[in-house]
Amino acid sequence: MPLDIIREATANFSEDCKLGEGGFGPVYKGTLADGKEIAVKRRSRTSRQGRREFENEVHVTAKLQHRNLVQLLGWCTEEDEEILIYEYMPNKSLDVFLFDPDMGQSVDWKMCMNVACGIARGLLYLHVDSCMRIIHRDLKASNILLDCEMNPKISDFGLASILVGNQDEANTSKVAGTPGYMAPEFISGGQPSIKSDVFSFGVLLLEIVSGRKSMVSHLREQALNLESEGRESDLIDPIIRESCDEDEAVKCIRIGLLCTQDDPDDRPTMLTVVRMLGGDGIPHGPPQPAISVGRDLPTVDPIGLIHNASTINEVTLSDVLPR
C-alpha cells in the first residue's frame, strides 16, 4: 500500500489515531477514502524487532485465510518505513477483557467458550489445514484480537516458523517467545514444535477460565494443586461463575492441564483439543507433571519486565496492544 495513502488514513500517524505500542512499534487506527477502517503497525526506529520479523510476518500472514486469523491487507517499505496493514479489530485484544477490572465485567461464559474454541480452530488450521504448516511460537492473550462480534483472531506472526513436509519441529533452537506461555522443553534449549504451541494454548485456556495472568500468579501450579484435590472449580473466575456450566468449566481446566504437560508427547494435538472442547470426553485429570514452567528463565520481576517491554536472552516480552 502506498505510503501517502497510509499517511492520509492515519492523519500522518497522528497521536489521536494511536491505539497503542508494542515491541514492533506503534499501532494506529486508519480510515481509507472509501471509509474502510484499518490497523496500521509501524516499526519503531528503536524496535528490537527488525527486517526479519517484518518479512516473516508478510510471508506467513499473506498466505493464510481463516476466520480465526487476523487478515493482513497490505504492507509498505517506502522511505525506509516498515509498515503492516491489517483489518481493524474494534474490540481490542483478549487480555483487555481478561485482565482489565472494568472491561472484565462484561465477560460471560458463552464469550469465553466462543473465544477458546475459535483460538483452537485457528491453531488447528495453522498446524494441519493451511497451505503451509505453521508454528505460531508466541500465542498469548495480547495476540488474540476480537472483532465486532467478539470472535477471536490470532495475530502477530513475526516469530512464526514454517514446517517442511511432515516435520513437527522447526529448524531453529533460538529461544524467542513470552515467559509464562513458553513450553519447558523450548526454554531449556529445544526446538519449537506444534506441541509447544499446544502448551501455550493450554496456558491461555487456564487464563480464560480463571481470569488470572499466568506470568504473575503461578497459574498452572494452582490449577494442578486444585485438580489433585478435586477442587478445580475453585479456579473459575468469579465474574463468569454465575453464567458458566461448572462441569464445562472444569473440563476446560483439565484440557488446559493436559495441554501443559511437561513431556510434549503427553500433550494432545489441536485436533484432539478441538474435539474435546466440542464435547468429546476427557480423562478425569492429567497425570501430575513436575512443576517446571519457567525453570530455566532468569530470576526477574515479570511485572517490571512487561512495563519495560525489554528483552532478556532473546525472550521477547513485548505486549502487543490492540490494533
Side-chain angles (χ1 to χ4, degrees):
M1 183 177 290
L3 182 58
D4 59 342
I5 292 179
I6 298 172
R7 282 179 170 152
E8 182 179 355
T10 60
N12 198 23
F13 305 107
S14 165
E15 284 294 313
D16 292 337
C17 295
K18 190 174 179 179
L19 296 171
E21 187 155 357
F24 186 82
V27 183
Y28 301 88
K29 179 181 178 181
T31 305
L32 300 176
D34 62 1
K36 183 179 180 63
E37 294 179 322
I38 57 174
V40 177
K41 187 175 176 182
R42 184 188 193 193
R43 182 172 179 265
S44 169
R45 302 297 184 194
T46 59
S47 173
R48 293 174 182 265
Q49 299 182 38
R51 173 62 67 127
R52 184 182 63 181
E53 288 81 5
F54 174 83
E55 291 179 346
N56 197 52
E57 181 109 8
V58 170
H59 178 60
V60 172
T61 314
K63 296 182 180 179
L64 301 176
Q65 293 290 330
H66 190 275
R67 69 189 302 266
N68 295 118
L69 303 182
V70 69
Q71 184 179 1
L72 181 70
L73 302 178
W75 60 89
C76 177
T77 56
E78 293 181 38
E79 299 181 15
D80 294 325
E81 293 277 7
E82 292 177 345
I83 297 172
L84 298 163
I85 300 96
Y86 298 93
E87 58 180 324
Y88 175 66
M89 295 286 105
N91 282 314
K92 304 181 181 181
S93 54
L94 180 59
D95 60 325
V96 175
F97 283 87
L98 291 182
F99 310 131
D100 183 277
D102 296 324
M103 297 294 289
Q105 298 301 316
S106 63
V107 174
D108 62 20
W109 181 243
K110 183 178 179 181
M111 171 195 161
C112 288
M113 282 302 296
N114 178 64
V115 168
C117 290
I119 298 168
R121 287 191 296 266
L123 271 184
L124 175 60
Y125 170 79
L126 292 176
H127 291 176
V128 178
D129 297 325
S130 68
C131 59
M132 50 186 179
R133 298 178 67 218
I134 302 293
I135 305 172
H136 186 276
R137 295 181 60 191
D138 199 20
L139 189 73
K140 56 183 176 181
S142 61
N143 282 344
I144 305 299
L145 306 184
L146 301 167
D147 69 12
C148 59
E149 297 179 348
M150 300 300 290
N151 294 309
K153 301 203 177 193
I154 300 170
S155 70
D156 202 332
F157 288 80
L159 297 178
S161 295
I162 300 173
L163 298 175
V164 178
N166 294 321
Q167 281 184 322
D168 288 327
E169 294 184 343
N171 293 321
T172 178
S173 57
K174 179 181 178 180
V175 178
T178 301
Y181 295 90
M182 295 169 67
E185 72 276 5
F186 187 33
I187 295 173
S188 60
Q191 293 181 318
S193 69
I194 59 173
K195 290 298 185 73
S196 55
D197 270 359
V198 172
F199 184 96
S200 301
F201 175 81
V203 173
L204 187 52
L205 186 57
L206 293 175
E207 289 185 327
I208 290 171
V209 176
S210 69
R212 305 177 193 177
K213 291 184 179 181
S214 65
M215 276 190 65
V216 297
S217 65
H218 305 288
L219 179 58
R220 179 178 176 236
E221 291 90 328
Q222 295 170 14
L224 283 167
N225 291 336
L226 290 171
E227 192 279 333
S228 68
E229 299 170 6
R231 297 171 47 227
E232 298 101 317
S233 61
D234 289 357
L235 194 70
I236 300 172
D237 185 350
I239 292 175
I240 63 172
R241 184 175 291 278
E242 289 188 7
S243 64
C244 82
D245 179 319
E246 185 172 302
D247 289 340
E248 196 173 43
V250 168
K251 182 177 80 168
C252 286
I253 292 170
R254 292 175 179 168
I255 293 171
L257 290 174
L258 278 172
C259 291
T260 56
Q261 293 295 292
D262 274 354
D263 188 338
D265 292 336
D266 290 335
R267 299 171 203 154
T269 64
M270 287 311 302
L271 177 59
T272 300
V273 170
V274 168
R275 288 173 173 170
M276 288 190 294
L277 287 172
D280 281 6
I282 180 175
H284 172 70
Q288 296 294 313
I291 302 301
S292 63
V293 176
R295 60 188 171 190
D296 293 316
L297 286 175
T299 301
V300 292
D301 171 14
I303 299 178
L305 287 174
I306 293 173
H307 288 170
N308 292 332
S310 60
T311 300
I312 291 184
N313 293 341
E314 297 184 293
V315 177
T316 66
L317 291 159
S318 59
D319 228 9
V320 179
L321 299 179
R323 301 188 178 114

